[in-house]
Amino acid sequence: MVRRMTAPERSRLARERLSRELRRLRTEARMTGTATARATGMSQSKLSKIENGMLLPSIADVERLVTELAATRETRVELVELARLLHAEAESRRVVLHRGAHRHQQTVSRIEARATTSRFLHLNLVPALLQSESYLRVVLATTPRQEQETAIASLRNRRARLDDPSRQFVFLLSESALRWRMGPAQLMREQIDHLSEALLRPNVRLGVVPWAAEIGVAALHGFQIYDEQVVTVSVLTGSATITDPADVREYLGLFSRLDRVALHGDGVRELLGRISDEYRRPS
């Protein structure tokens, strides 16, 4: 059986070919590295790294090199297009970090606005779209006051999308997220009641992975998936955005595995009722 080449392997071979072809063109043109670097407006060190595959040249770099080295029209078109494809691939694999609560809300809101199906996995916190007002303010308690109010306003705009029946929202929580005490028992009871109300929405599906479930897979952090195309991961100082298709498939696979062992429907209602009762008991 012939093993199919992975995307990283194909990318590596393409980069090696680009650097090899640029080095070949310079050799055939009988130009030194110093002369070529000077003629194309780059340092000799940079040219050396490009020719040895240590640096992906910009599309403009490749255009200047193939022109200065008198490549044939066919070769010029081929190598410039190869550089363009490599940069597009590199961009798709880039993880972008957005700092700050307000910027996080803005970034997520833009992505969410284009999505028809949004999936959320949370391990120790209720998802922002399902947080009660009191719970939300505790979550943002350490955020500067002005940024806090801006983030709350942005989140309210996001929540309005829950009223759009053409959008689907799939929430998956661990039982720990329901028991992580963000405040007094009264606040947690209100939050549980808020989740119970969300179950009444026809476009909202809520699952809870109970403590007793045999999971068999590690979930290192929570995440959000939008239309099987974009993943966002919330971190302490902001949020990271992931768009590489292979990475997104990994997150979708993990989400599906956890969803299979989660409680849904009446099972979730029963669990929410039981936890709510526990919060009503005297400490």
Side-chain angles (χ1 to χ4, degrees), residues 86-280:
L86 284 169
H87 275 281
E89 184 177 89
E91 180 67 20
S92 73
R93 294 191 65 84
R94 192 163 59 100
V95 177
V96 182
L97 178 65
H98 306 276
R99 297 184 181 277
H102 174 46
R103 184 168 295 180
H104 167 64
Q105 292 294 343
Q106 283 185 321
T107 301
V108 171
S109 183
R110 284 195 298 270
I111 296 171
E112 206 168 67
R114 296 190 295 268
T116 56
T117 301
S118 302
R119 298 174 176 84
F120 306 82
L121 171 69
H122 283 248
L123 303 179
N124 60 6
L125 200 68
V126 173
L129 289 178
L130 299 182
Q131 291 173 5
S132 68
E133 189 79 11
S134 299
Y135 189 103
L136 170 61
R137 289 190 178 276
V138 173
V139 172
L140 296 175
T142 59
T143 304
R145 183 70 179 181
Q146 183 175 358
E147 186 177 344
Q148 182 180 135
E149 293 303 321
T150 305
I152 290 173
S154 178
L155 182 56
R156 284 173 180 155
N157 290 332
R158 286 179 57 205
R159 285 177 172 167
R161 297 190 185 110
L162 291 172
D163 297 325
D164 184 349
S166 67
R167 300 176 188 270
Q168 297 297 312
F169 298 87
V170 184
F171 298 94
L172 194 57
L173 285 64
S174 71
E175 186 172 338
S176 299
L178 305 177
R179 298 183 180 276
W180 190 281
R181 291 284 294 266
M182 292 299 294
Q186 177 62 29
L187 180 146
M188 295 305 297
R189 287 199 304 272
E190 290 176 0
Q191 179 58 67
I192 297 298
D193 291 342
H194 195 71
L195 287 173
S196 297
E197 292 173 6
L199 286 171
L200 301 176
R201 292 179 176 272
N203 61 337
V204 170
R205 182 171 180 267
L206 175 63
V208 177
V209 180
W211 279 347
E214 183 176 340
I215 300 171
V217 61
L220 302 180
H221 54 77
F223 53 85
Q224 300 81 44
I225 310 174
Y226 300 98
D227 279 348
E228 304 184 0
Q229 294 178 352
V230 179
V231 174
T232 62
V233 179
S234 298
V235 295
L236 183 62
T237 55
S239 65
T241 303
I242 302 168
T243 56
D244 178 73
D247 292 336
V248 174
R249 283 194 298 272
E250 289 286 336
Y251 281 99
L252 281 166
L254 176 59
F255 192 94
S256 295
R257 291 185 65 177
L258 294 174
D259 194 45
R260 284 197 291 271
V261 300
L263 299 173
H264 297 93
D266 291 340
V268 170
R269 292 184 184 88
E270 181 182 340
L271 179 60
L272 291 177
R274 188 163 65 247
I275 294 175
S276 181
D277 289 342
E278 291 175 10
Y279 281 128
R280 285 183 169 83

